[in-house]
């Protein structure tokens, strides 16, 4: 398969309905869409196999320049086509609806308008159900088409004539200035009535969707220098929330490669405790307490403590519905993005021991107690059980934040976040007068602190390092001053910051670690890790190096895609790599902007 048949990862915008999303290319093609949920099998999956995956193409049927942008302060995406004889645009959105029967909560609307002159358009709707493993039938009835596979049925309504070859549906039409056409994709089934979508109804849905996003964004308290990019990140984080449970997915895609052609391809369509807890922090800073409350509800219902579990009372990740079993398997029939095999669904890292998640979790509860609602008595009892487990188990090797598959080690970051878990719980207990074994907690907290200072420090490197008794730098250590473990101006920290800058920073872009110096059990290379780059900005700002921090932040903003979205990593030539968009990167952007603003005054 030629690489030219795949758009760059960054050449996409995102739409969604708080249950699933669709990626829309700058060419007007939807090449990633899972229905009805984030982690459902793909219906359009050409992003992972241009031949087999399926897509929904909608574009000008003549040579045209394209531009893509968001309708201001919303998640409604507009793709414009400018040709010699006219200009047209496609408005893509998914209405946000309630859960009542027939509410259309799985509706995807594509509204086409000719805004100047006249323009021919073409559409090809080619679903491939079940990750392109399930056959389907096509039934045409007037302006309705029903695509039906063994596991899912979808209906298409259009205001232009449609033709079917028994598998796909096509349309060719010409619009004059001011004329519109509508394509509406709905979930179908025996218990779901067929729906039409004339132009007027589509416009009403458009207005309601714009109103929803603007009403939601109006709760933001951010008034700083980078309002537009911060609000785009907030809107993106909201798109990655799963409304029925309150979970927040790490990213809405699977198997987009960290190195094109390489095997570092993972499924991120799940709720990582760490990532979601950090998201809560970012949204709380902006004033969005409802999302924090929903995630706390997810934890209460689904993160059930299992004291007999060898990997700890919590899993590192859960399904969006709270399920624990996330078996990893490969889809060998799909070639992967630009030949980057294997394509994986599920995630075997769910069974890893990653001690840092407890720090992220307790910190989010601490912040919610501070900025949201006071913690309940039942929740406090559960938190005490978690902290007591951490006190008994912090001193053991684990797989670490980067989910390495090269065996367990004594990661300094994991120890740091165990310290955070205990320290934040002590704060809550002291502030609220809640019952706790404070003497035990304080003694354990201080023991962890001393161990990190003694064994996590390398005299040779003059820096804190990745794991005990070695000389390997790790960008996760950037969290030390952010978590208030050390002062941002402590001499040891400033020396560490210089070492990280020397070893892992490339023109403001930050690598997680050096896989050659610290083998992670995986072949291939990766790009720079964008969340680390934003952590770097924040540590520079807190260290008082404001000119460096601001320049690094402005440089990072240039690596966003055309609509302000970030994948997990940035490649050597500035391309987006890895799953897209990544929640962790956007929350780190929000935190960096917030704290840099504060430091600049």
């Amino acid at each position: 398969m030629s690489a030219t048949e795949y758009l760059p990862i960054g050449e996409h915008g995102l739409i969604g309905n708080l249950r699933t999303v669709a990626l829309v290319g700058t060419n007007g093609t939807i090449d990633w869409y899972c229905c009805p949920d984030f982690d459902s099998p793909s219906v359009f999956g050409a992003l992972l196999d241009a031949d087999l995956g399926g897509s929904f193409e909608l574009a000008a049927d003549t040579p045209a320049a394209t531009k893509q942008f968001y309708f201001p302060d919303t998640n409604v995406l507009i793709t414009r086509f400018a040709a010699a004889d006219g200009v047209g645009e496609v408005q893509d959105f998914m209405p946000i609806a309630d859960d009542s029967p027939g509410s259309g909560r799985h509706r995807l609307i594509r509204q086409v308008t000719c805004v100047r002159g006249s323009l021919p358009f073409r559409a090809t709707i080619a679903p491939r159900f079940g990750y392109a493993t399930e056959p389907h039938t096509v039934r045409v009835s007037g302006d309705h088409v029903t695509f039906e596979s063994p596991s899912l049925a979808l209906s298409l309504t259009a205001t232009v004539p449609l033709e079917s070859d028994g598998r796909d549906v096509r349309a060719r039409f010409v619009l004059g200035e001011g004329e519109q056409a509508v394509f509406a994709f709905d979930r179908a089934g025996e218990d779901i009535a067929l729906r039409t979508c004339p132009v007027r109804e589509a416009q009403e849905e458009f207005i309601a969707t714009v109103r929803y996003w603007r009403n939601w964004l109006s709760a933001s308290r951010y008034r700083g220098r980078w309002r537009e990019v911060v609000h785009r990140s907030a809107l993106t984080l909201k798109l990655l929330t799963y409304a029925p449970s309150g979970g927040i997915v790490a990213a809405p895609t699977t198997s987009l490669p960290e190195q094109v052609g390489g095997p570092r391809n993972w499924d991120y369509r799940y709720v990582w405790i760490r990532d979601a807890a950090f998201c809560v922090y970012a949204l709380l800073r902006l004033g969005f307490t409802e999302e924090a409350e929903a995630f706390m509800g997810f934890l209460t219902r689904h993160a059930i403590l299992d004291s007999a579990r060898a990997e700890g009372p919590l899993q590192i990740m859960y399904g969006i519905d709270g399920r624990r079993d996330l078996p990893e398997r490969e889809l060998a029939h799909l070639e992967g993005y630009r030949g980057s095999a294997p394509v994986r669904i599920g995630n075997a890292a769910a069974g890893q021991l990653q001690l840092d998640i407890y720090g992220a979790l307790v910190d989010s509860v601490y912040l919610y107690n501070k900025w949201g609602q006071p913690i309940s008595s039942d929740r406090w009892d559960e938190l005490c059980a978690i902290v007591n487990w951490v006190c008994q188990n912090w001193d053991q090797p684990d797989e670490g934040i980067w989910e390495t598959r090269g065996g367990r080690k004594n990661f300094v970051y994991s120890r740091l976040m165990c310290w955070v878990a205990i320290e934040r719980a002590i704060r809550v207990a002291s502030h609220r007068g809640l019952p706790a074994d404070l003497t035990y907690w304080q003694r354990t907290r201080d023991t962890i602190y001393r161990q990190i200072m003694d064994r996590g420090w390398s005299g040779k490197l003059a820096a804190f390092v990745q794991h005990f008794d070695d000389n390997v730098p790790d960008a996760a250590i950037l969290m030390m001053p952010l978590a208030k473990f050390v002062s941002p101006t402590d001499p040891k920290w400033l020396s560490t910051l210089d070492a990280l800058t020397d070893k892992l920073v490339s023109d403001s872009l930050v690598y997680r670690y050096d896989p050659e110096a610290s083998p992670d059990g995986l072949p291939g290379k990766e790009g720079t890790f964008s969340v680390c780059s934003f952590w770097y900005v924040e540590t520079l700002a807190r260290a008082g190096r404001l000119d460096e921090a601001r320049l690094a932040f402005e440089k990072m903003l240039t690596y966003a895609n055309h609509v302000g979205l970030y994948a997990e990593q940035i490649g050597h030539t500035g391309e987006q790599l890895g799953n897209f968009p990544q929640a962790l990167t956007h929350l780190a952007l929000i935190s960096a902007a917030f704290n840099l603003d504060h430091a600049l005054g």
Side-chain angles (χ1 to χ4, degrees):
M1 175 61 60
S2 169
T4 58
E5 296 191 41
Y6 291 91
L7 278 179
I9 292 170
E11 289 290 313
H12 291 86
L14 186 75
I15 60 171
N17 61 358
L18 310 184
R19 287 162 178 80
T20 191
V21 299
L23 288 182
V24 185
T26 52
N27 58 1
T29 296
I30 295 176
D31 54 12
W32 183 252
Y33 173 60
C34 299
C35 185
D37 300 319
F38 287 108
D39 59 354
S40 298
S42 61
V43 174
F44 301 130
L47 191 62
L48 297 179
D49 194 308
D51 283 340
L52 300 180
S55 64
F56 187 154
E57 177 191 10
L58 180 55
D61 196 17
T62 186
T66 62
K67 295 284 186 180
Q68 193 177 69
F69 60 97
Y70 280 108
F71 199 78
D73 295 334
T74 76
N75 281 315
V76 174
L77 192 67
I78 298 176
T79 308
R80 288 173 66 87
F81 299 89
D85 296 325
V87 176
E89 62 184 38
V90 177
Q91 297 174 339
D92 285 308
F93 61 97
M94 297 171 72
I96 312 294
D98 56 34
D99 285 317
S100 60
S103 65
R105 62 184 178 275
H106 299 299
R107 173 164 264 201
L108 191 164
I109 295 177
R110 314 199 72 186
Q111 188 169 256
V112 194
T113 306
C114 181
V115 296
R116 192 167 72 239
S118 67
L119 203 61
F121 289 90
R122 68 178 182 276
T124 302
I125 301 92
R128 299 293 181 264
F129 293 89
Y131 302 112
T133 61
E134 295 183 2
H136 68 271
T137 59
V138 178
R139 294 198 317 273
V140 181
S141 176
D143 60 356
H144 271 100
V145 177
T146 301
F147 302 92
E148 189 164 5
S149 77
S151 63
L152 182 68
L154 295 171
S155 71
L156 173 71
T157 306
T159 58
V160 296
L162 301 171
E163 294 181 356
S164 172
D165 61 6
R167 192 185 193 201
D168 304 333
V169 169
R170 292 177 174 80
R172 274 190 157 85
F173 55 98
V174 177
L175 296 179
E177 189 166 320
E179 292 182 330
Q180 291 185 320
V182 173
F183 295 82
F185 219 43
D186 289 280
R187 194 173 177 194
E190 294 179 1
D191 58 338
I192 303 173
L194 283 175
R195 302 185 64 188
T196 60
C197 193
V199 170
R200 181 177 176 182
E201 182 182 343
Q203 190 60 27
E204 290 172 353
E205 296 261 34
F206 172 86
I207 292 169
T209 304
V210 167
R211 184 187 306 119
Y212 171 85
W213 288 115
R214 289 183 169 172
N215 284 345
W216 180 80
L217 192 61
S218 67
S220 170
R221 294 198 299 256
Y222 182 78
R223 300 292 183 269
R225 293 167 176 80
W226 297 283
R227 187 174 178 181
E228 187 172 335
V229 293
V230 166
H231 281 174
R232 176 50 52 200
S233 288
L235 284 162
T236 303
L237 291 181
K238 180 64 172 175
L239 270 184
L240 301 184
T241 60
Y242 184 63
S245 71
I248 304 170
V249 296
T253 57
T254 179
S255 301
L256 292 180
E258 297 174 12
Q259 177 190 22
V260 173
R264 294 170 179 249
N265 319 316
W266 316 106
D267 193 347
Y268 277 18
R269 298 171 299 159
Y270 304 113
V271 182
W272 266 256
I273 293 293
R274 173 198 311 110
D275 297 39
F278 283 160
C279 286
V280 166
Y281 160 76
L283 292 169
L284 279 172
R285 291 304 296 260
L286 297 178
F288 298 108
T289 56
E290 193 174 294
E291 286 67 32
E293 185 175 349
F295 178 62
M296 292 301 155
F298 176 90
L299 292 175
T300 299
R301 290 187 300 274
H302 302 301
I304 308 300
L305 304 185
D306 182 357
S307 58
R309 191 171 173 272
E311 294 79 18
L314 295 175
Q315 285 194 178
I316 67 164
M317 73 181 86
Y318 296 84
I320 55 173
D321 56 357
R323 71 187 185 281
R324 290 168 170 257
D325 191 21
L326 306 173
E328 182 176 297
R329 61 188 178 94
E330 297 179 2
L331 302 180
H333 66 286
L334 298 178
E335 73 161 9
Y337 176 79
R338 293 177 60 187
S340 303
V343 171
R344 294 181 174 96
I345 57 173
N347 201 306
Q352 289 188 352
L353 172 65
Q354 296 178 20
L355 292 168
D356 70 282
I357 67 168
Y358 297 98
L361 174 63
V362 178
D363 195 38
S364 70
V365 174
Y366 160 74
L367 293 170
Y368 183 65
N369 179 76
K370 182 179 178 181
W371 293 332
Q373 296 291 328
I375 188 170
S376 68
S377 55
D378 287 344
R379 196 70 192 147
W380 176 248
D381 289 342
E382 292 176 4
L383 198 71
C384 286
I386 289 173
V387 175
N388 286 331
W389 184 89
V390 171
C391 286
Q392 295 159 12
N393 292 275
W394 63 270
D395 193 11
Q396 60 177 305
D398 70 342
E399 274 90 2
I401 181 176
W402 305 132
E403 296 178 2
T404 58
R405 300 194 179 190
R408 294 181 178 180
K409 297 174 183 174
N410 290 303
F411 287 100
V412 173
Y413 180 76
S414 297
R415 297 291 199 276
L416 164 69
M417 295 308 286
C418 287
W419 178 90
V420 168
I422 301 169
E423 198 275 338
R424 298 302 190 267
I426 292 171
R427 286 196 198 191
V428 175
S430 301
H431 177 69
R432 293 277 308 279
L434 294 170
D437 190 348
L438 289 179
T439 301
Y440 176 45
W441 287 5
Q442 289 166 346
R443 185 172 65 250
T444 308
R445 176 198 64 185
D446 296 346
T447 301
I448 299 172
Y449 178 90
R450 293 298 175 198
Q451 190 188 73
I452 292 173
M453 286 297 185
D454 292 342
R455 298 182 60 194
W457 172 262
S458 165
K460 179 179 178 181
L461 196 64
F464 292 105
V465 290
Q466 186 175 54
H467 31 75
F468 287 164
D469 308 319
D470 72 7
N471 300 297
V472 178
D474 180 3
I477 298 300
L478 289 165
M479 280 295 292
M480 274 187 164
L482 308 188
K484 297 180 169 58
F485 178 83
V486 295
S487 162
T489 56
D490 185 295
K492 276 192 167 184
W493 172 250
L494 294 177
S495 177
T496 300
L497 187 54
D498 289 339
L500 291 171
T501 301
D502 179 56
K503 301 290 186 182
L504 296 180
V505 180
S506 174
D507 190 36
S508 82
L509 298 174
V510 182
Y511 291 92
R512 292 191 289 184
Y513 53 88
D514 181 355
E516 292 184 6
S518 178
D520 55 15
L522 297 165
K525 298 180 179 180
E526 61 179 23
T528 57
F529 217 65
S530 294
V531 63
C532 300
S533 301
F534 285 118
W535 287 347
Y536 181 62
V537 169
E538 192 167 343
T539 56
L540 288 172
R542 293 187 184 220
R545 293 158 62 171
L546 296 183
D547 288 343
E548 292 176 71
R550 188 166 189 177
L551 181 60
F553 187 70
E554 293 290 355
K555 284 183 177 180
M556 272 306 297
L557 296 185
T558 70
Y559 289 106
N561 83 339
H562 59 287
V563 287
L565 304 182
Y566 290 86
E568 182 178 42
Q569 301 182 17
I570 303 294
H572 292 295
T573 57
E575 72 276 18
Q576 305 272 349
L577 291 174
N579 284 310
F580 174 88
Q582 193 206 28
L584 203 55
T585 300
H586 285 278
L587 70 91
L589 183 156
I590 292 170
S591 182
F594 196 99
N595 285 287
L596 185 53
D597 258 322
H598 181 73
L600 290 168

